[in-house]
Amino acid sequence: EVKSNVVDQVDLMTACSGEVHYEHGNDPTSNLKFTHALAAVKFSIGNLSPVFIKKIEVSGVKYKGRYELPNALNAMGTWKSVDNATTTVTLDGINMDAAEMPNTMLAGALTPDPNNHNRTGRENYTFLMIPQTLPNKSDANHAKVTIYYEEGGSTKHISFPLTGEWKANT
């Protein structure tokens, strides 16, 4: 189940070693190749007039399903079922000046911390979503993105439909 607050989301990675046999006195080794079970959805700022991006909402998306783990060496698991229920997933408190950072990744980027070499900043801004084919925008239940921004002291928003497919491990 995908959490509705993007900052609280966690990635789901899986791996399978295949069969490993133990022989007394000869410890087996196994290499694991991990794959992402979820799709990573990222947003970038274009060359915008002076506005502050405040919040991104992705609505009308499926958020719950059942995943079957892989059972063969280096295989990917499969989504066995995805519920048809939809939700809104939100990234709030962004406060990014679009004029100062044109052509910058707004969601999905990492900013290094020069003091301790840990990553800080926007590390939790990737939307981790269940893979799905998004409904046609003419469908009443189509998925959409709404971006809230501040311009000239007032909060405004722009919305647009999402189409296409979100694939696992992409």
Side-chain angles (χ1 to χ4, degrees):
E1 188 170 320
V2 172
K3 295 187 181 206
S4 61
N5 182 348
V6 172
V7 175
D8 295 333
Q9 292 180 342
V10 293
D11 200 359
L12 174 61
M13 296 183 70
T14 65
C16 184
S17 66
E19 289 187 32
V20 176
H21 298 283
Y22 175 76
E23 295 176 18
H24 184 68
N26 187 12
D27 295 337
T29 60
S30 179
N31 293 321
L32 295 175
K33 179 181 177 187
F34 285 88
T35 58
H36 297 270
L38 299 172
V41 179
K42 302 176 182 187
F43 295 90
S44 295
I45 297 175
N47 196 358
L48 301 174
S49 62
V51 300
F52 283 85
I53 307 294
K54 296 293 191 177
K55 177 169 71 170
I56 301 173
E57 288 180 346
V58 178
S59 59
V61 291
K62 296 176 184 177
Y63 69 101
K64 196 179 198 180
R66 207 169 271 295
Y67 185 79
E68 185 175 286
L69 294 170
N71 62 4
L73 178 63
N74 295 330
M76 286 184 63
T78 55
W79 285 93
K80 288 297 182 186
S81 65
V82 175
D83 291 3
N84 282 326
T86 62
T87 194
T88 298
V89 179
T90 304
L91 175 61
D92 202 352
I94 300 170
N95 203 32
M96 180 180 276
D97 185 347
E100 288 185 12
M101 302 187 72
N103 303 315
T104 299
M105 192 174 296
L106 174 62
L110 295 172
T111 305
D113 180 343
N115 297 323
N116 64 12
H117 304 291
N118 289 333
R119 294 181 183 259
T120 63
R122 300 188 311 271
E123 61 266 12
N124 293 321
Y125 285 18
T126 298
F127 287 66
L128 298 169
M129 306 301 294
I130 289 181
Q132 58 194 281
T133 300
L134 301 166
N136 189 309
K137 63 183 175 184
S138 63
D139 185 326
N141 296 320
H142 72 274
K144 72 176 182 177
V145 172
T146 303
I147 298 175
Y148 295 85
Y149 60 96
E150 187 177 291
E151 181 177 39
S154 63
T155 301
K156 302 176 181 181
H157 70 277
I158 184 171
S159 296
F160 50 91
L162 292 171
T163 59
E165 182 179 3
W166 291 337
K167 296 181 182 181
N169 201 37
T170 59

